[in-house]
Structures are given as structure tokens and as C-alpha cells.
Amino acid sequence: MKTRRLIGAILCCLCASVNAETKAPDPTSIILARYRAMLVEGEVPDAETVRGHMAALKEDGSWPDVDYNGKNRSIWEPFDHMFRTCDMAKAYAKDGHALHGDKALLGKIHLAMDHWLTNRYQCPNGWYNTNATPKWMGDIAALINDDLTGDRRKGAIEIVGIHQRLGRRRWSTGANLMDVAQTAIVNACLTGDTALLTEAARRVAGEIKVSAGEGIKDDWSFHQHGACAQLGYGAVYLGAASRVAWLLRGTPYEIPRDKRGIVSQYILNGVQWMTRGPYTPPSVIDRQVSRPHSLGPSGGVRGQRKPADFWVDIVGRWMVADPDNAAALKGFVARQNGKAAPLVGFKHFPRSDLSAYHRPDFSFFIRTRSPRVKGTESINNENRKGRPYLHTGDHYILMDTSEYTDMPPVWDWTRLPGLTMYEGIGRIEPQPFVGGLGNGASGLTAMDYKRTLGVRKLWAYHGDLVVCLLGGWQQADEKKDLRTTLDQCALKEPVQINVDGKTTSLKPGTHQLQNVRWVLHNGVGYVPLSPSAMSLKLGEAEGSWRSIDAAQSEATVKENVFLCDLLHGESPVAGGFLLAPGSTAKALDRLTKEPPCVVIRNDRDVQCIRFADGTFMAAFYAPGDVVLSGKTVLSVDKPCLALWSAKDLRLCDPTNPRQGVPVKVMWRGKTHSTTLPAGGKVLHLPQAEPPAALDASAKRCQLRVCLRALHLTHPQRKGTPHENQLECV
């Protein structure tokens, strides 16, 4: 519906008042008309709300309830004045609104503008002064353009055009440049400055690139503020790019076709892999995690899927600007709205230490940490508790509902899912051996985890399972409360456990348990690789948004939390756990009796797992081999990650070297002298010869695997592999 309105607005702008004898309007007029249409196409405050703003406005143009002395760097208090002024301007400009063209309303808009122009409020956070204030003043000016004259017009344009006075500092990078460019385009249209319009359009096109610095990366993640992966800033970038592309399309200033293709690929190969419907995991955003609703829509009944407005709005506009990729983009929008089969497959983002694994019924996300990327941000008094813990090996499971939405205020941040911690542990010490490898459908992530203690971790993703190995412990003895948190999410009762073969349901409270075989919560099975000690906390936790973001409310927030820890004891041994979303108690009983995978090695040099269908995944932290039944299955003379089956072998160097690394590989009885590609890319060795015929024992084993698969998989559920996934081979 919104897309149809956008197309209608464009056609109206293009066909408004010309005839065969009349000179066509200049592009600045067309673009400004489109901009006004864009500003009022969404919800506009109703007449009652706007009249309330009018009535409360004082003679000096201020509102009595706005704190004009506020200095908050995140949510700057005086900016409420700008929001209200713009709301009034939208009502004045929108056709069909009860106050459209109302002269009394126009007088109030002028009065509010004059107050700001006289006082020129400045925020301690310069972004408000150079980005936000010029943008919103430009919006107001565009909405009342025909009724903005004299000194008032001059003052407004002076604020909108602040970047023209900053010289070379006017243009930033990434998302910030897109913001500035949009404001420059509005300024150019208000003043008829075609030279500025040309420059702004050129700057936008120039920033649409696969970048070695900030912006879109060659793995389709997005960096801002240095080597810091930020979907939040990627959203700002896309929002501004979609608006600019829509404004400029069909004019001499439109974004070139090849540049539009880059943005579409970022949406399809980046954004699409980092979300599940309307929900976003903490792994892919940064300090924005401390803002309400940042992880997805809230309200209503927790656990019920909610509409996906945010990305749908951005991508809907972009589809109009890039018709070449509209069909694939419509698929993304349909998935966001739950009207198409979900994405299925594995993708690792080597520039951002991020892995995503999508299945029909769940998605799994993990953000590791190497020296190649920056840690999470904590600026403007946001993300006040996250910095020591977020993006240091934490993982999240999304199942189309709000497992983590608005949970950060009540989190125990030392127990983010996936973290291995103990009382008094130090900060993360990033190690270079961190990365991921996949074949499109399945994959693995490895991390040399060091935080005072050391432990090597391998996550393997195959079918409807996620398996994590923990091995090669160092300096881990006699650590108080040493544990790995398996999840910390919204509680959805009942919670079932199996201890010593007996299944029971747990009541709210704290439970310290021994010999746990599995835990079942919200359809997710949490299964230690061997019966283990576990701790569960079920029930209410409280906190406040103010505790994690100084600009937010200090009101107490209460949520019911499911917190599950795997306890390692004072002398931890090699082990791990398995996550099985979409499980039932009966399925977990079968899984523990007939494990779907076997751990081949789990030590400091090699971690390797073999799945029932013959798929192997391994992390070689040092030269080594994998031996099965006395025979060497794979041997490498350099550290690497490996994924193989009877069909092919894939290898990569997770340290992302700048140059290729020579390696000798022994696989299927042959030695290959080859090179691990630079940049964490994948070396693919296909099987040249058909596998040997199975002997009787192997055939019986294969039959057992197939029968087991009938119990552990769900053939009636279908997903759609992502047709636009790019794989470096």
C-alpha cells in the first residue's frame, strides 16, 4: 500500500502542470515536491493534537514543558521543540487534514520557528547541531516553502545549509554522509542551487561502494566508527539512501544503476541475513541495544509475532528506486511480514566476526571478537553495561517471536548467552584465531576465547542443530562459579528438565541441578554433551532503561526471565552442549539416547565433530589431523577451519591474512599442496572421484542414520535458500 502511494506521488509530481507548449519544471521543483509528499505520506498528528500544540505555545514561541536548558547527549531535551514544530507543519501541508492551509496554524509555526532562530540552541553532542537540527529545519522549510519568506526564510536556510560553511568538514562517511547529503539536497532545492545538488548527488553515489574503510564491506556487513559492525548505522545509511534515490530518480541527478545494485545486494546479502522477520538479535547492532524496541516491535502479548514496519518501509521505497532488483527485494519484504518461506542457510561475515544460521523454525546468531574489529561502543551514556560483555562470543536464538525484545534492562550482563565467565573474570583479550566457514547450507564458527582463563570454542551448525564444543582449557582451575550461559531470554512456561532419566517440570525460582540430560524451554532443547551440573533461574527480574542508557526512563522494568547456565566446576574438562530448537521432550529423549553427532577431537590443538550424515567440521588451532577408526581422515600443516563430506572439502584461514598461506592437505589418501586464500575466503576442493562402495557395516550405519533423521527432522517444513547469497570460493 505504501509503495503504491509512493508511485502515485511520483506520478503526480511528474505530470502536474505541463502541456506540449509549457516548459517542464526544473528538477529542483520536482525533487522538493517529492520531498514534501514523502514527509506527509505517513501518520500525521490529528487536529486535536496539533491544536493542543498551538494552544500551549507561549507568546515567545516556546512551550512551557520543554526543557530548553537540557544537555542530554542522547535524547536532547530542547529538540522536542523541533518535533512539535514539524508536526504542525505536516498538518498544515497535508491535503485532507482538518488544519490543511489553516492560517492560524501557520502563524503558530512561524512563531515557533522564530523562537528557535532567535535562540539557536546548541547540544553538547555535535551531531544534533550539524545533522539533526539542519535536517528537521529543512523539513519544516520544505513543508511551508510557499509561506516562508524574508528574514525567517533566510534564517532557516542558514541553519539548513550549515554544512556549506564547514568547508571540507561538511562531508563525513557512511551513514553520516548520507544524512548530510539528504539535507544538502533539500537546501539546494530550497535555494535553486544546482551546483550544490550536483555535488550532493555525486557524494551519495561516491559513498555507495564496497569500502575498505567505513560503510558497506565486501562481506555485506556495515561498519561505522572504524572497524565496528553496526546494523543500526547500516539502517541509517539505507534509510537516507532510499530517500535520496527516490527523490532523485528520473532526474539528471539520479543514482547510477550499478550503485543501486550495490545497495540492493547489501539489503539481500547483509541485512536479510542479520534479522528474522521484524526481530533483530543483539549480535548485529551495537550501543542501540540499550534503546527501547531496538530488538524488535514490543507491546501486545509476548511471544506473538508483530508487524515488521521498519525494514519494510525502507526497502519498499528502495524498490521504487531500483526496479532491477525489485523481485528479490519483494521476497525480503514478504519474509519480514511472515508471508514467505524463511531464509535457510549459513553465512559468515569475516569482516565483522559475525555468523548467522537460518532454519525454517529458528535463526541462530553469534558475534565473536578478534583484534580485527573494535569492541562494542559505549558513548553518549548508552550501552552502559554492555561494553565488557557484548560481542565477545555471545549467541542468540530467534524463533519468530520476541525472545529478547526489551529484555536488556533486566539482564544480568555477565550472563549473556554463550559467554564463559566466573566471578572476578577480566575483560576479553581478543585473539586472532576467530572466524567461520560454510557451504551455504551448514557451517561452523570458531573462537580462541581468552578472558583471564582460556578455552577454545567451536560452534557447528547442521540441520536443526547447533553444537558447541568447549576444550583446551587454560588457567581455569579453581575459578568460583565457572559457567557458560546457554540462554537468558523471556520466560515462557513450562520449563521441563530431565535429570537421571526422569523428566519433571520446574517451578519459578533458582534451581541447582546435577546430572542434567536436557532442559526444554519454549521449544528449545538445551543439552549438555554428557550429563552435567546446571543452574536455572526462572522468574521475575527487574531493572531500568536508565541503568543502561542515561537518556531513558528510570522507572522500574520487570520481566520474567529464563536463565540457563552450564556449570563447569573447579576443574573443567572438555565438553560442550547442543541446542535443538523445535524440540519436544520425546525428541530430546531420543536425541540423548541416539546422539546425532560424534565428537572426534576436543582439545587445545583440534576440535572436530562428525554428524550422522558424514559431514565433518573442525577447527585446527595448530597443524594436526583427524583420525577415525585408525585412519587419517584429514591432515593439515597450517592452522585453519575445515568442513568436509564425501563430496568436497572446504578450508579457510580464520585469521584473515592479507596474503594467501601455503598449506599441505592430506584428504582421501591424496596430498594437495595449495594455498589458503587471503581475507578469510574459502578454498574449495571438490571430490574428483566417486566415493568407494559402502561395505555392509557402513550400509547398516547409514540406515540407522536415515531412520533417526525421520525422528529428528521435520520434512513438512520448508524454507527457501537465499537465491542472492554470494559465496567467495
Side-chain angles (χ1 to χ4, degrees):
M1 183 65 73
K2 289 187 177 181
T3 300
R4 290 199 292 270
R5 288 202 299 269
L6 289 173
I7 296 173
I10 294 169
L11 293 175
C12 289
C13 294
L14 291 174
C15 305
S17 59
V18 296
N19 56 46
E21 306 270 330
T22 305
K23 182 179 178 180
D26 70 271
T28 60
S29 298
I30 295 174
I31 294 168
L32 192 61
R34 291 175 178 174
Y35 193 70
R36 281 196 298 269
M38 182 176 68
L39 291 173
V40 300
E41 71 184 12
E43 291 186 8
V44 174
D46 58 27
E48 182 180 356
T49 300
V50 174
R51 288 193 177 102
H53 292 337
M54 294 169 64
L57 195 66
K58 296 164 60 177
E59 291 184 1
D60 67 351
S62 67
W63 276 280
D65 60 333
V66 173
D67 179 9
Y68 291 95
N69 295 315
K71 301 295 181 183
N72 192 294
R73 295 176 58 88
S74 180
I75 301 178
W76 186 37
E77 299 88 346
F79 216 70
D80 283 340
H81 181 103
M82 199 68 78
F83 290 145
R84 293 180 190 180
T85 307
C86 194
D87 281 348
M88 294 194 301
K90 287 179 180 179
Y92 180 80
K94 186 174 179 64
D95 289 336
H97 195 281
L99 294 174
H100 173 61
D102 186 272
K103 295 303 179 184
L105 173 57
L106 179 62
K108 295 292 187 179
I109 295 170
H110 285 163
L111 185 61
M113 289 183 70
D114 290 345
H115 179 85
W116 193 278
L117 294 173
T118 298
N119 291 276
R120 303 291 178 107
Y121 297 103
Q122 297 290 298
C123 180
N125 180 353
W127 176 85
Y128 273 98
N129 307 324
T130 60
N131 289 43
T133 298
K135 188 269 181 192
W136 283 78
M137 185 62 77
D139 290 358
I140 296 165
L143 288 165
I144 65 167
N145 180 50
D146 294 338
D147 298 297
L148 187 60
T149 59
D151 289 342
R152 186 178 294 116
R153 184 180 186 87
K154 180 180 178 181
I157 290 175
E158 186 177 290
I159 289 178
V160 178
I162 185 174
H163 288 88
Q164 278 59 64
R165 302 192 302 279
L166 292 177
R168 295 179 65 182
R169 291 186 297 132
R170 77 174 92 169
W171 304 106
S172 184
T173 59
N176 289 328
L177 183 142
M178 290 294 182
D179 261 353
V180 169
Q182 177 183 311
T183 303
I185 289 169
V186 174
N187 184 31
C189 293
L190 288 169
T191 59
D193 188 342
T194 55
L196 175 59
L197 182 55
T198 299
E199 182 182 14
R202 180 178 64 83
R203 293 279 184 172
V204 168
E207 195 62 20
I208 298 176
K209 59 187 178 182
V210 175
S211 173
E214 294 186 345
I216 298 174
K217 309 302 291 183
D218 64 357
D219 63 355
W220 305 107
S221 60
F222 189 94
H223 286 189
Q224 193 80 35
H225 297 169
C228 189
Q230 307 228 31
L231 183 60
Y233 276 96
V236 174
Y237 176 98
L238 281 178
S242 68
R243 292 188 293 269
V244 169
W246 184 76
L247 291 171
L248 301 183
R249 69 186 296 271
T251 74
Y253 309 97
E254 73 176 358
I255 295 175
R257 184 178 184 180
D258 61 326
K259 299 289 187 175
R260 298 197 300 266
I262 291 174
V263 173
S264 290
Q265 290 306 306
Y266 170 54
I267 295 171
L268 295 169
N269 291 332
V271 173
Q272 182 169 218
W273 283 87
M274 297 182 188
T275 60
R276 186 172 183 91
Y279 299 101
T280 303
S283 316
V284 303
I285 60 175
D286 202 81
R287 70 179 195 274
Q288 298 88 356
V289 73
S290 62
R291 301 173 187 174
H293 323 318
S294 62
L295 302 180
S298 59
V301 178
R302 185 177 288 280
Q304 291 183 355
R305 185 187 178 101
K306 301 174 181 70
D309 293 334
F310 179 73
W311 290 112
V312 169
D313 289 348
I314 290 177
V315 178
R317 191 182 304 282
W318 183 257
M319 282 192 289
V320 179
D322 186 21
D324 293 342
N325 291 290
L329 293 167
K330 285 179 181 177
F332 169 69
V333 170
R335 291 188 185 102
Q336 285 280 304
N337 286 324
K339 296 181 179 179
L343 199 66
V344 171
F346 171 84
K347 184 174 176 64
H348 180 69
F349 298 86
R351 305 296 167 260
S352 299
D353 291 349
L354 169 68
S355 297
Y357 184 55
H358 293 278
R359 296 291 296 164
D361 287 335
F362 74 94
S363 295
F364 180 89
F365 304 88
I366 183 167
R367 181 85 164 266
T368 50
R369 176 77 190 282
S370 73
R372 300 180 295 274
V373 299
K374 292 173 62 177
T376 183
E377 292 185 330
S378 181
I379 58 177
N380 296 330
N381 278 318
E382 294 181 291
N383 197 23
R384 300 167 83 180
K385 295 183 179 179
R387 186 157 191 174
Y389 312 112
L390 193 64
H391 306 339
T392 62
D394 41 319
H395 69 235
Y396 304 91
I397 307 168
L398 294 181
M399 300 177 66
D400 296 315
T401 57
S402 50
E403 286 82 10
Y404 306 102
T405 298
D406 292 342
M407 296 298 289
V410 304
W411 268 345
D412 178 346
W413 286 77
T414 68
R415 283 178 156 87
L416 293 184
L419 297 192
T420 299
M421 306 287 284
Y422 66 86
E423 187 175 317
I425 197 169
R427 290 177 176 268
I428 192 75
E429 301 173 40
Q431 303 297 304
F433 196 99
V434 172
L437 170 66
N439 60 12
S442 302
L444 67 150
T445 307
M447 182 181 186
D448 187 2
Y449 182 90
K450 188 174 183 182
R451 201 179 204 125
T452 308
L453 59 74
V455 61
R456 288 181 166 163
K457 299 188 176 189
L458 171 71
W459 293 263
Y461 322 101
H462 196 60
D464 287 331
L465 300 175
V466 176
V467 184
C468 178
L469 301 185
L470 305 169
W473 294 91
Q474 286 189 328
Q475 298 178 316
D477 289 345
E478 299 181 356
K479 305 299 184 184
K480 184 178 180 181
D481 193 22
L482 179 60
R483 79 273 176 180
T484 297
T485 299
L486 306 191
D487 212 344
Q488 184 179 190
C489 61
L491 174 64
K492 187 176 181 181
E493 297 183 278
V495 176
Q496 294 178 283
I497 61 165
N498 184 289
V499 176
D500 291 327
K502 182 180 179 181
T503 299
T504 59
S505 294
L506 291 181
K507 296 180 179 179
T510 299
H511 305 270
Q512 302 288 333
L513 305 167
Q514 301 293 324
N515 299 319
V516 178
R517 295 189 178 183
W518 54 255
V519 176
L520 178 62
H521 169 254
N522 194 25
V524 180
Y526 305 85
V527 185
L529 294 186
S530 60
S532 301
M534 299 184 73
S535 172
L536 289 98
K537 294 183 179 180
L538 317 175
E540 189 173 84
E542 64 179 47
S544 73
W545 286 103
R546 177 72 58 84
S547 69
I548 57 175
D549 183 344
Q552 303 298 336
S553 170
E554 62 182 354
T556 298
V557 175
K558 296 182 180 181
E559 295 284 356
N560 287 320
V561 176
F562 169 80
L563 175 58
C564 179
D565 288 336
L566 177 64
L567 305 181
H568 301 298
E570 294 187 351
S571 298
V573 297
F577 57 90
L578 183 151
L579 303 175
S583 291
T584 63
K586 289 184 178 180
L588 292 176
D589 281 338
R590 289 194 298 267
L591 186 148
T592 53
K593 291 176 182 177
E594 299 183 49
C597 56
V598 176
V599 178
I600 307 300
R601 285 188 67 175
N602 189 12
D603 53 60
R604 188 145 188 87
D605 291 336
V606 180
Q607 293 178 300
C608 179
I609 188 169
R610 173 187 157 188
F611 288 93
D613 64 356
T615 298
F616 290 78
M617 301 185 193
F620 292 88
Y621 299 90
D625 54 25
V626 172
V627 178
L628 192 62
S629 300
K631 295 182 179 180
T632 299
V633 179
L634 179 69
S635 175
V636 296
D637 71 345
K638 296 290 171 55
C640 62
L641 301 181
L643 187 160
W644 72 98
S645 65
K647 296 180 180 179
D648 60 3
L649 166 68
R650 295 169 192 261
L651 303 167
C652 80
D653 186 335
T655 65
N656 289 5
R658 294 185 178 182
Q659 296 181 339
V661 177
V663 62
K664 285 187 178 181
V665 181
M666 197 287 288
W667 178 53
R668 297 191 67 82
K670 293 185 177 181
T671 299
H672 305 261
S673 294
T674 184
T675 301
L676 297 172
K681 294 183 179 180
V682 178
L683 170 66
H684 184 199
L685 297 176
Q687 170 62 35
E689 301 175 358
L694 296 174
D695 59 23
S697 175
K699 288 180 179 179
R700 288 195 298 271
C701 178
Q702 188 178 66
L703 177 61
R704 287 197 301 270
V705 169
C706 293
L707 291 173
R708 186 181 304 146
L710 293 175
H711 294 288
L712 296 179
T713 60
H714 310 271
Q716 73 275 17
R717 298 180 316 203
K718 296 181 180 180
T720 302
H722 179 36
E723 64 273 17
N724 292 87
Q725 181 183 1
L726 302 182
E727 182 183 7
C728 296
V729 174

